[in-house]
Amino acid sequence: MTLSLTGNVFLALLVAAAVLAVLAVLLLWTRIPGPAPVRWGARLLMVLLCQATAICVVAAWINTSYGLYASWDDLLGRTAGAGPVAMQGPPAEHATFTRDDNGMRETYFRGTRSALSGQVMVWTPPQYDEPRYRRTSFPVVMLLHGVPGSPQSWTEQGRMPRAYQKLLQEGATGPFILAVPVINPGGRDTDCSDAGGRNVATWLSQDVPDLVRRHFRAAPQPKSWGLLGISTGGFCAAKLPLQFPRVFAAGAALDPDPLNGDGGALTDPVLRERNSPTWLVAHTRSDAALFLATSRQDRVSPPSYLEEFQRAASGSRVRLRTMLLDKGGHNYRTWSALYPETFAWLTRQLPGGPGPFSASSDGPGRPAGR
């Protein structure tokens, strides 16, 4: 059995190793036999071992907090689709799904429009399998991970779908199909744009929705499709409803990357500008709903990003809501704290299914009619 890179057991083992290394120094410092050079060499190695184990503890804690690498394969660059060229998968109609320990159905397929291959995970709510809803289509929320990261980041650090199930049981959200695609198939980050021969925007806006609709009772209408993203995925969640209003009606961006574009992802300044949410919101006729949130303490995604976007959106038809937390860093602890408000907001924007809210209500209400 392989230890999870982000699991508590692995972190506990590293802490134990660090403690044992310190104890070994205390117990063996004066007991090492041999001539002086041998003794001092052994002591130096013990000190280095203490430092190495301490660094590993801190690195593992930072990785778990920030969701940098979701698995050993992700860390070592062996994740499917994480290399310079992704392995080609079958087309959507021939994709097969396997169920993992979190109740997610996983597949790997090739998009016919983007010509990209990558992983997608899908979860269906309990209502999906109830006989009375066997003819009901469900709204869809696509979860977009950060970079570095992978779809597994949402299950390993984001506690999905468990955290969402808890909200669903409490009546704090409507039942969504959750779809979790890789946002950088092939390992190249393009800020979810069609750039440099990597048609990632097409992958996310056409191929992934086509896959989900082919294999699940997903709502066909755009008004029932939304996005929730964190960090780089948050940038994409703010961008894609503006670029593809006929596909996505709403986007929730938690601690997004710079909303005027990332020079590390798109080096061409014109391409970067035209694919940025700040430019798009000032040049769109879309009435998409956007929810942007960050923390006053987040230096990676400061409040100024949201303020600049608000100014650009002031003359648009976009329905914008922002939230600013007093505390919180750029990590899943902060993002998880925003789940209740975010999913309640998404429920009000995305009609369909047997959810407890109506699309126009501001809070909990009676279940929608069957």
Side-chain angles (χ1 to χ4, degrees):
M1 179 179 178
T2 303
L3 286 175
S4 170
L5 178 63
T6 58
N8 292 330
V9 174
F10 177 63
L11 183 60
L13 288 175
L14 288 178
V15 172
V19 172
L20 289 174
V22 173
L23 290 176
V25 170
L26 296 175
L27 294 174
L28 302 176
W29 190 264
T30 60
R31 301 182 182 182
I32 300 172
V38 173
R39 294 197 304 271
W40 283 107
R43 289 167 182 165
L44 177 60
L45 289 175
M46 288 193 297
V47 171
L48 292 175
L49 180 62
C50 288
Q51 293 179 331
T53 53
I55 290 172
C56 287
V57 169
V58 173
W61 178 79
I62 291 174
N63 181 65
T64 300
S65 299
Y66 285 81
L68 301 178
Y69 299 98
S71 65
W72 293 106
D73 285 339
D74 193 14
L75 175 65
L76 300 174
R78 298 191 307 233
T79 303
V85 179
M87 176 182 66
Q88 185 168 309
E93 60 268 27
H94 297 304
T96 57
F97 288 82
T98 58
R99 191 183 294 268
D100 67 10
D101 294 338
N102 296 295
M104 290 277 194
R105 295 176 174 91
E106 300 181 21
T107 193
Y108 186 88
F109 85 108
R110 181 177 186 271
T112 55
R113 295 179 178 86
S114 68
L116 296 176
S117 295
Q119 182 191 25
V120 179
M121 302 192 301
V122 180
W123 180 84
T124 56
Q127 293 89 338
Y128 186 89
D129 296 318
E130 292 183 14
R132 57 177 171 164
Y133 299 125
R134 65 181 180 274
R135 298 183 184 275
T136 300
S137 61
F138 284 71
V140 179
V141 173
M142 286 171 52
L143 305 180
L144 307 181
H145 61 81
V147 176
S150 69
Q152 282 80 8
S153 300
W154 281 103
T155 58
E156 294 282 353
Q157 289 91 35
R159 300 182 296 109
M160 286 294 180
R162 297 192 311 276
Y164 172 73
Q165 284 180 283
K166 185 174 183 294
L167 294 174
L168 190 58
Q169 291 166 357
E170 295 170 351
T173 181
F176 297 122
I177 293 174
L178 302 181
V180 194
V182 60
I183 72 166
N184 55 338
R188 179 176 172 184
D189 178 22
T190 68
D191 268 350
C192 301
S193 305
D194 288 350
R198 309 292 298 175
N199 296 323
V200 179
T202 301
W203 160 260
L204 292 170
S205 66
Q206 298 186 48
D207 292 332
V208 173
D210 178 58
L211 171 82
V212 176
R213 289 191 181 103
R214 280 180 179 271
H215 293 273
F216 300 90
R217 294 197 312 277
Q221 64 272 20
K223 65 180 181 179
S224 295
W225 280 70
L227 302 151
L228 166 57
I230 51 93
S231 195
T232 302
F235 175 97
C236 300
K239 173 178 104 87
L240 292 174
L242 301 175
Q243 277 189 317
F244 303 98
R246 295 184 179 181
V247 181
F248 304 111
L254 309 185
D255 292 358
D257 282 357
L259 294 167
N260 57 5
D262 180 2
L266 297 176
T267 56
D268 184 325
V270 175
L271 185 65
R272 182 168 67 249
E273 178 190 46
R274 297 302 172 90
N275 280 278
S276 71
T278 302
W279 187 89
L280 289 165
V281 76
H283 295 82
T284 184
R285 295 183 180 180
S286 167
D287 62 350
L290 296 179
F291 174 79
L292 275 60
T294 191
S295 162
R296 298 183 192 275
Q297 295 181 331
D298 191 340
R299 296 182 180 180
V300 179
S301 183
S304 60
Y305 290 177
L306 273 60
E307 294 165 0
E308 181 183 4
F309 186 82
Q310 281 182 301
R311 290 192 293 270
S314 60
S316 73
R317 298 171 56 204
V318 171
R319 292 167 287 131
L320 177 63
R321 182 183 176 190
T322 61
M323 177 174 285
L324 189 60
L325 301 180
D326 290 329
K327 297 181 180 180
H330 198 79
N331 54 55
Y332 274 97
R333 185 176 303 171
T334 302
W335 302 328
S336 297
L338 286 164
Y339 287 168
E341 190 68 31
T342 303
F343 277 105
W345 179 85
L346 283 167
T347 302
R348 294 192 291 270
Q349 310 307 318
L350 307 177
F357 297 171
S358 69
S360 60
S361 71
D362 292 325
R366 294 182 179 180
R370 285 181 279 170

